[in-house]
Amino acid sequence: MVPKVEDKPVTKSLSPPKSGVLAETARRLENTRDEEQSSLLLLDEAKEALEWRLALVDSAKSSIDIQLYLWHDGASGKLLLDRVLRAADRGVRVRILVDDFLFNGNEPFVSSICRYHPNIDIRIFNPTSFRGNPLGSSMEFLLNFAHLNRRMHNKTWTADQSFSIVGGRNVGDHYYGLDEHYNFLDLDVLVSGPPVREVAKGFDLFWNSAQAYPGALLSKRAKREILEERRARLLAYLDQEKDGMLRSFPTRPKDWSREFARLPHTMAKGKAVFIQDHPDREQDNRQLVTSLGTAVGKQSRELILVSPYFIPGKGMLESMEQAVKEGKDVHVLAPSLAANNQPAAHGHYKKKRKPTLRTGAKLYELRSQPDKSVRMMADVSPVRSKIVAMHTKAIVGDRTRCFIGSMNLDPRAIKINTESGMLIDSPELTADLFSMLQKIRRSESVWEVTLDERNKLRWSENGVNFQDEPPAPWMKKVTSRIVGWLPLESQL
């Protein structure tokens, strides 16, 4: 059982340094736009999403703050962990805040990092007390359900308070094109400008909250030797995979000056606002949902909703129906069962197909075997995954405004978890996002779902109609059907 926290240091985000490629590039970008504007770059391809995270870490001079739902131990996880440790070695202060739900099992290593590396600290959001004890953890979860059921789903990545990445990607191979079983279509935005300060403030709020538990206290078995042994294993793995799984990425720190020098010519301009929920359940007013509801209501012509786990409630369905009555085109993009990594969520999404279509909205489902141009967004050489799954979370309005963040359009995101994201008013960036969604919505990559004259669901492919749901692995079908019978919608 983890000890109670007696004295937890309060730390704040460091101001941008006066020199360094990140701070200098941020100042150059500032000179290219109006004062209230930001510089924005859409990260819709897995390869560039990992490259820009590496670029921020390798280029940081004073600070790195990372907030995630999970950090998987795979090729990308090892690569990023090695780079973060190297940044700390050269004096960069690193703070990592990770949710606890999928974090059990690494307690001695986490505690060893926190105790024996002077420049890196890790905190765990809302941890269970009984570590490594499945029975104790289960009993604790049941007895303290309301508290432990609330998870931190936020995802931000900030360096030198000069650049932030905000969006839907955690750390794991399927987010960065390196999973042989399935890779995600996903989405982030790289931003420089006023929102970075708000991301930094938001990180501090979570970092210093009562829910953030110091990693140093997770285990009594912390040893310097554990840290040294793990680092040696990381180096051996990276040397082994530099011409293998990781051949598309630099396995040692590099100079990214050339890439940053191109940003003034490639980043879009626009107004952007960072929004997030409050870490304390008692103080949380669901800021993200409120802000999105207001923003969605302002659209006059078109609304595109993209979510991997689309389970609209009564209020959302009524809003969609009202938008259609007002003459707006409403489109929904969700994954088919085969392209959904969470068949449990699909079990309740499928019950929402007909209600969604009855609002007048158009519904599209991503295929697990999309066309080559879409697959290239998800896979990174040498990997070709068995399927392409969907993890993209976005809202596009009137092709001029958009939301990119961590929030699914499901009950858990709307009512339970904490979420974060960026509201963006930029015709230039939104045009890039719309173009990407148009590529995905081509007939070779999606089925259009409609209702026929008998009120039966119909899937269309190149003008050919099917009455049965597109094929999927039998285990996904079984899981989806069983969970769909259970009264679990509020938890999905």
Side-chain angles (χ1 to χ4, degrees):
M1 188 170 180
V2 297
K4 290 184 179 180
V5 179
E6 301 294 339
D7 182 24
K8 183 173 66 175
V10 173
T11 62
K12 298 289 186 179
S13 296
L14 301 179
S15 299
K18 294 182 179 180
S19 61
V21 66
L22 298 183
E24 292 166 4
T25 303
R27 286 196 289 271
R28 287 201 301 272
L29 289 167
E30 188 175 2
N31 293 331
T32 68
R33 60 177 192 260
D34 294 338
E35 183 178 355
E36 72 278 8
Q37 287 187 320
S38 299
S39 299
L40 306 148
L41 182 67
L42 196 69
L43 305 181
D44 56 358
E45 295 183 0
K47 187 173 186 291
E48 64 178 356
L50 181 51
E51 286 177 334
W52 278 112
R53 284 166 170 83
L54 291 170
L56 294 188
V57 172
D58 288 349
S59 306
K61 187 171 183 179
S62 65
S63 65
I64 297 169
D65 290 332
I66 300 170
Q67 183 176 11
L68 296 171
Y69 177 56
L70 58 89
W71 188 308
H72 281 307
D73 183 30
S76 58
K78 289 181 173 67
L79 179 63
L80 286 166
L81 179 59
D82 175 71
R83 297 293 251 280
V84 164
L85 288 166
R86 287 174 180 267
D89 289 344
R90 64 175 188 266
V92 178
R93 190 194 70 176
V94 178
R95 298 185 297 174
I96 301 175
L97 179 61
V98 186
D99 187 84
D100 184 54
F101 188 56
L102 296 173
F103 201 72
N104 272 306
N106 286 301
E107 288 85 353
F109 176 53
V110 171
S111 291
S112 298
I113 290 178
C114 297
R115 293 185 191 181
Y116 296 108
H117 201 302
N119 294 323
I120 189 166
D121 198 6
I122 300 173
R123 291 183 180 177
I124 314 302
F125 186 83
N126 202 12
T128 57
S129 298
F130 293 90
R131 316 298 296 181
N133 184 337
L135 179 59
S137 295
S138 298
M139 289 298 296
E140 181 188 10
F141 190 82
L142 291 173
L143 293 173
N144 199 10
F145 180 77
H147 174 70
L148 291 176
N149 188 44
R150 188 166 187 265
R151 308 316 317 171
M152 182 190 74
H153 202 237
N154 309 42
K155 301 166 183 70
T156 66
W157 193 288
T158 302
D160 284 356
Q161 205 179 140
S162 299
F163 285 87
S164 290
I165 295 175
V166 176
R169 291 182 175 97
N170 293 293
V171 170
D173 287 349
H174 36 270
Y175 298 97
Y176 303 114
L178 296 173
D179 193 303
E180 295 177 342
H181 301 288
Y182 68 92
N183 281 322
F184 280 137
L185 289 177
D186 213 332
L187 191 65
D188 299 308
V189 60
L190 175 69
V191 59
S192 181
V196 178
R197 292 190 292 273
E198 298 308 309
V199 174
K201 290 178 184 177
F203 183 93
D204 288 346
L205 182 64
F206 272 81
W207 181 260
N208 295 307
S209 70
Q211 292 76 20
Y213 190 86
L217 300 181
L218 276 180
S219 175
K220 297 178 180 179
R221 295 182 290 150
K223 296 179 181 179
R224 186 181 301 275
E225 291 77 12
I226 293 177
L227 175 57
E228 293 172 350
E229 188 271 339
R230 180 65 71 93
R231 297 199 70 173
R233 284 165 49 192
L234 280 174
L235 289 175
Y237 176 85
L238 295 176
D239 285 340
Q240 174 186 321
E241 294 296 336
K242 65 181 180 180
D243 297 317
M245 182 71 77
L246 291 170
R247 71 186 187 197
S248 293
F249 300 102
T251 55
R252 292 290 185 273
K254 62 167 280 188
D255 182 354
W256 298 88
S257 299
R258 189 171 298 177
E259 286 77 7
F260 282 101
R262 290 197 289 265
L263 287 182
H265 309 290
T266 58
M267 296 187 86
K269 301 178 183 66
K271 295 182 180 180
V273 177
F274 176 73
I275 46 178
Q276 68 172 19
D277 295 317
H278 198 282
D280 188 336
R281 186 163 60 98
E282 303 304 321
Q283 299 184 54
D284 188 8
N285 60 2
R286 309 313 290 166
Q287 180 63 40
L288 197 66
V289 173
T290 302
S291 298
L292 280 179
T294 301
V296 166
K298 294 179 179 179
Q299 310 316 310
S300 60
R301 300 185 306 278
E302 182 182 56
L303 185 64
I304 302 172
L305 307 175
V306 186
S307 179
Y309 319 124
F310 183 69
I311 309 176
K314 180 181 178 182
M316 190 183 302
L317 290 169
E318 290 175 348
S319 296
M320 291 166 62
E321 184 174 20
Q322 181 62 33
V324 173
K325 287 180 179 178
E326 293 171 356
K328 301 171 188 175
D329 293 326
V330 180
H331 303 258
V332 176
L333 175 61
S336 64
L337 177 56
N340 195 325
N341 73 311
Q342 296 290 349
H346 187 89
H348 286 266
Y349 154 73
K350 66 183 182 182
K351 294 189 289 187
K352 302 294 184 178
R353 286 185 179 121
K354 286 185 178 181
T356 296
L357 291 168
R358 290 187 188 120
T359 68
K362 294 183 178 180
L363 177 61
Y364 303 88
E365 291 185 356
L366 178 73
R367 301 171 64 170
S368 64
Q369 302 295 336
D371 71 14
K372 182 179 179 181
S373 65
V374 174
R375 177 175 280 280
M376 288 175 62
M377 296 165 60
D379 287 342
V380 175
S381 178
V383 172
R384 178 182 171 85
S385 58
K386 292 180 180 178
I387 67 169
V388 172
M390 183 174 150
H391 200 254
T392 308
K393 313 162 205 303
I395 298 175
V396 180
D398 291 349
R399 306 189 191 184
T400 58
R401 307 173 197 90
C402 64
F403 167 79
I404 298 172
S406 68
M407 195 180 84
N408 300 300
L409 298 178
D410 62 17
R412 172 164 284 278
I414 292 170
K415 297 180 179 180
I416 301 174
N417 289 345
T418 72
E419 307 285 352
S420 63
M422 199 77 72
L423 273 172
I424 300 168
D425 189 343
S426 168
E428 188 179 357
L429 181 97
T430 307
D432 291 340
L433 176 53
F434 180 80
S435 177
M436 182 270 284
L437 294 176
Q438 283 292 84
K439 181 193 299 186
I440 295 173
R441 286 194 299 174
R442 288 211 306 252
S443 59
E444 295 86 353
S445 298
V446 300
W447 284 283
E448 182 175 3
V449 186
T450 57
L451 289 173
D452 66 16
E453 61 281 357
R454 296 176 298 165
N455 199 39
K456 300 289 186 181
L457 289 169
R458 177 173 60 191
W459 285 263
S460 300
E461 175 189 3
N462 294 324
V464 180
N465 298 324
F466 302 89
Q467 296 293 340
D468 296 326
E469 185 172 10
W474 70 269
M475 183 55 76
K476 282 191 172 184
K477 290 182 179 180
V478 170
T479 303
S480 173
R481 176 164 296 186
I482 291 175
V483 175
W485 290 334
L486 302 175
L488 297 175
E489 181 177 315
S490 65
Q491 300 302 312
L492 298 172

